[in-house]
């Protein structure tokens, strides 16, 4: 009998009849390493003003203001170099948790793009049998869709603040969202 019990009680194909099983002698896998501190930084573009207060990021540019809440993430956000750089810090994180640090920086970069550039989306009404009818109401603030997949119900889509919808003059069944 060995320290793991008799060889008859543990029938295994890994070891012989008198030796303890090799898979029982292996050490447990090491736990994932924790990083003490990890930091990412972003440069604030010219013409963009950013404020960070209690993980609430507000970015203002020539095309408006955007806000984003990061209170659900265990990170530290602050401004460095007199407001010309954003830094995100995370303490004692494993590798999977560190991935959210880069995601936060990407979200803030997208906020910078959103206040610097004007976006225009061209969308087409595509159908096979039931012709979709779209009507713009409320001065471009809402869109009513009728006969979607043959439904009797009228679908109303209200645009977000600062967004306008219009029908394309040159192309049939196309709407332009700016």
């Amino acid at each position: 009998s060995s320290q793991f019990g008799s060889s008859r009680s543990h029938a295994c194909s890994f070891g012989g009849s008198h030796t303890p099983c090799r898979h029982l002698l292996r050490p447990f896998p090491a736990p994932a390493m924790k990083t003490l501190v990890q930091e990412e930084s972003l440069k604030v573009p010219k013409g963009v003003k950013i404020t960070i207060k209690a993980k609430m990021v507000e970015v203002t540019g020539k095309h408006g203001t955007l806000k984003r809440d990061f209170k659900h993430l265990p990170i530290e956000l602050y401004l460095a170099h007199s407001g010309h750089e954003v830094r995100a810090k995370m303490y004692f994180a494993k590798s999977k948790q560190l991935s959210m640090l880069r995601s936060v920086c990407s979200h803030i970069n997208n906020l910078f793009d959103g206040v610097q550039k004007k976006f225009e989306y061209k969308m087409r009404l595509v159908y096979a049998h039931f012709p979709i009818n779209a009507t713009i109401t409320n001065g471009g603030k809402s869109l009513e869709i009728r006969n979607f997949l043959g439904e009797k119900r009228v679908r109303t889509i209200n645009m977000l603040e600062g967004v306008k919808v219009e029908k394309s003059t040159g192309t049939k069944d196309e709407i332009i969202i700016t």
Side-chain angles (χ1 to χ4, degrees), residues 5-161:
S6 68
S7 60
R8 284 184 217 137
S9 67
H10 184 77
C12 186
S13 63
F14 288 113
S17 60
H18 296 293
T19 58
C21 295
R22 280 179 281 162
H23 71 279
L24 292 175
L25 295 175
R26 284 194 198 119
F28 290 106
M33 292 288 290
K34 285 189 175 183
T35 309
L36 288 178
V37 94
Q38 183 75 24
E39 189 174 36
E40 291 277 337
S41 62
L42 289 169
K43 297 274 185 223
V44 178
K46 282 187 167 57
V48 174
K49 184 178 169 278
I50 183 169
T51 56
I52 299 172
K53 186 172 183 180
K55 297 184 191 176
M56 280 287 292
V57 178
E58 187 173 338
V59 178
T60 307
K62 64 180 178 180
H63 292 297
T65 302
L66 294 172
K67 293 178 189 171
R68 186 84 193 234
D69 186 4
F70 294 107
K71 288 182 182 172
H72 62 286
L73 298 174
I75 58 166
E76 188 180 296
L77 283 171
Y78 61 96
L79 290 172
H81 297 296
S82 64
H84 296 292
E85 190 177 59
V86 179
R87 289 203 177 155
K89 222 185 243 191
M90 184 178 256
Y91 297 95
F92 303 112
K94 295 179 180 162
S95 60
K96 290 270 187 178
Q97 296 164 327
L98 286 175
S99 63
M100 74 177 103
L101 202 59
R102 189 76 202 133
S103 295
V104 167
C105 292
S106 296
H107 286 310
I108 294 173
N109 255 336
N110 292 342
L111 292 176
F112 292 154
D113 286 347
V115 296
Q116 287 180 308
K117 302 172 186 169
K118 273 275 198 202
F119 289 93
E120 178 179 277
Y121 294 94
K122 292 184 177 185
M123 302 178 84
R124 299 286 300 264
L125 302 172
V126 181
Y127 51 88
H129 183 271
F130 302 106
I132 301 170
N133 183 4
T135 310
I136 295 163
T137 57
N138 205 3
K141 295 281 182 202
S142 62
L143 176 74
E144 290 181 349
I145 297 177
R146 288 183 175 80
N147 202 27
F148 179 72
L149 298 177
E151 294 176 338
K152 296 293 177 199
R153 187 178 148 238
V154 177
R155 295 172 182 253
T156 305
I157 299 106
N158 294 316
M159 299 295 130
L160 293 172
E161 188 179 318

